[in-house]
Amino acid sequence: MNVIEQSLKIIIPSFNRPQQLVAKTLQLLKDVPRDKIVIMCSSFEQSIEYKKILGDNYKVQVSFTSGIGQKRNYIRQYALKNNIKYLMSIDDDINAIATHEGKELSSDEVYKMILRGFYETEQRNLSLWGICGYSNTFFLKDKTTTDLKFIIGNFYGTIIDEVRPIILSPYSLLEDYYFSCKHFLREGGVLRLNGFGTKTNFAKNKGGLQDRFTSDERILTESRICDKMLEEMPEDMVSIKMKNRGRNLMLNRHFKISDVISNDESKLDVEG
């Protein structure tokens, strides 16, 4: 067991869908040591239902949170409290991990890819890494990047240490955009393995966010968060784009930390 494996946990946030968890993400991780996996549900009542299905095979932890934004924050706080340095968060509805060659990774290959992600992230003195949120091979490229790219929340890793305070999101949705921006601003990069992507059915599986928001509520909430993040983040870092289900954010991959410094210096010159 290498150094990363010794302090690695894979935490799976799940809400009201234990059967799907077993059929999808736990199947994807079937060859991963079970003591590396923690199931994070929202309430004591839910934990009972999960334990009925999972038995003693996996640890089930209760977050007592409401919404995915709060739960992702709790997961980071849980990792810090429990000395988990290499925190992997995977949603409960991942069907497979696709490659740029059109293949699907085996469970053992998924685990090796996770270890690789943490190793390459740490080598670059960064703390956030992930893969693509799509599986279309036309867009998947066998390339590792550290520019400003979206690190999707359904499959990402974070290095938690005492030197860098954990980053928490104030938003109930689009928290993965917030994490992507804030980690980039702090460290000058986020690592993405662009040759891999998640296969899942966004906003279609029962449970999860679909039990938290109606379609209209989610569209309205995300629209409001888009406006807030546009105000909060440095100029030219994010922009608004329209998708089938409403407004969303787009990150500027050409954005540099030096842009923030240059803008601040310009403001000082004007004020001076």
Side-chain angles (χ1 to χ4, degrees), residues 32-262:
V32 174
R34 291 183 176 180
D35 64 345
K36 295 296 178 188
I37 298 173
V38 178
I39 312 303
M40 189 72 68
C41 59
S42 299
S43 68
F44 177 74
E45 292 74 18
Q46 281 192 36
S47 72
I48 294 174
E49 295 304 313
Y50 278 79
K51 288 176 181 177
K52 284 181 182 178
I53 293 174
L54 299 174
D56 297 325
N57 293 317
Y58 297 94
K59 176 173 181 171
V60 177
Q61 175 72 26
V62 181
S63 65
F64 298 107
T65 55
S66 176
I68 191 61
Q70 284 188 18
K71 185 172 284 187
R72 295 209 197 281
N73 285 343
Y74 179 86
I75 287 172
R76 288 171 174 238
Q77 293 167 325
Y78 175 86
L80 181 64
K81 182 179 179 181
N82 290 276
N83 298 312
I84 299 167
K85 182 175 182 181
Y86 304 101
L87 167 63
M88 190 72 202
S89 181
I90 305 177
D91 283 1
D92 62 4
D93 58 351
I94 306 299
N95 296 315
I97 302 299
T99 75
H100 67 284
E101 298 172 325
K103 301 177 182 178
E104 292 183 358
L105 295 184
S106 67
S107 182
D108 182 61
E109 289 170 334
V110 170
Y111 190 48
K112 289 177 179 177
M113 186 260 284
I114 289 172
L115 297 178
R116 171 192 166 187
F118 281 111
Y119 175 79
E120 294 197 20
T121 300
E122 193 161 48
Q123 287 294 301
R124 293 166 172 82
N125 199 31
L126 302 175
S127 66
L128 181 69
W129 75 274
I131 62 178
C132 301
Y134 44 82
S135 56
N136 189 327
T137 56
F138 180 81
F139 297 104
L140 295 177
K141 308 297 180 185
D142 187 20
K143 184 178 181 181
T144 301
T145 57
T146 58
D147 55 355
L148 180 59
K149 283 189 169 64
F150 176 47
I151 305 299
I152 192 167
N154 68 358
F155 194 102
Y156 78 96
T158 315
I159 297 176
I160 306 289
D161 58 43
E162 296 179 353
V163 177
R164 296 175 288 203
I166 57 173
I167 294 173
L168 302 177
S169 171
Y171 302 118
S172 58
L173 294 171
L174 304 183
E175 74 292 332
D176 38 10
Y177 283 93
Y178 183 87
F179 289 140
S180 298
C181 290
K182 286 298 186 177
H183 278 272
F184 186 90
L185 288 171
R186 185 174 71 180
E187 293 143 21
V190 291
L191 187 135
R192 199 168 81 172
L193 304 177
N194 297 290
F196 303 96
T198 57
K199 281 190 173 182
T200 187
N201 297 316
F202 284 109
K204 293 180 180 179
N205 295 319
K206 293 181 179 180
L209 288 176
Q210 284 62 254
D211 280 5
R212 291 287 188 185
F213 297 92
T214 66
S215 178
D216 289 343
E217 287 172 342
R218 184 169 180 178
I219 289 171
L220 180 59
T221 302
E222 288 184 344
S223 179
R224 289 172 176 169
I225 293 172
C226 282
D227 289 333
K228 290 179 180 179
M229 284 192 62
L230 196 61
E231 291 180 5
E232 179 179 353
M233 298 304 166
E235 185 178 358
D236 296 329
M237 188 177 199
V238 300
S239 58
I240 305 292
K241 67 175 180 179
M242 293 301 299
K243 298 181 71 174
N244 291 335
R245 57 183 179 85
R247 303 167 81 217
N248 209 325
L249 294 168
M250 177 179 289
L251 305 186
N252 176 11
R253 67 183 180 88
H254 300 294
F255 181 84
K256 307 289 184 186
I257 294 296
S258 57
D259 296 340
V260 180
I261 298 173
S262 297

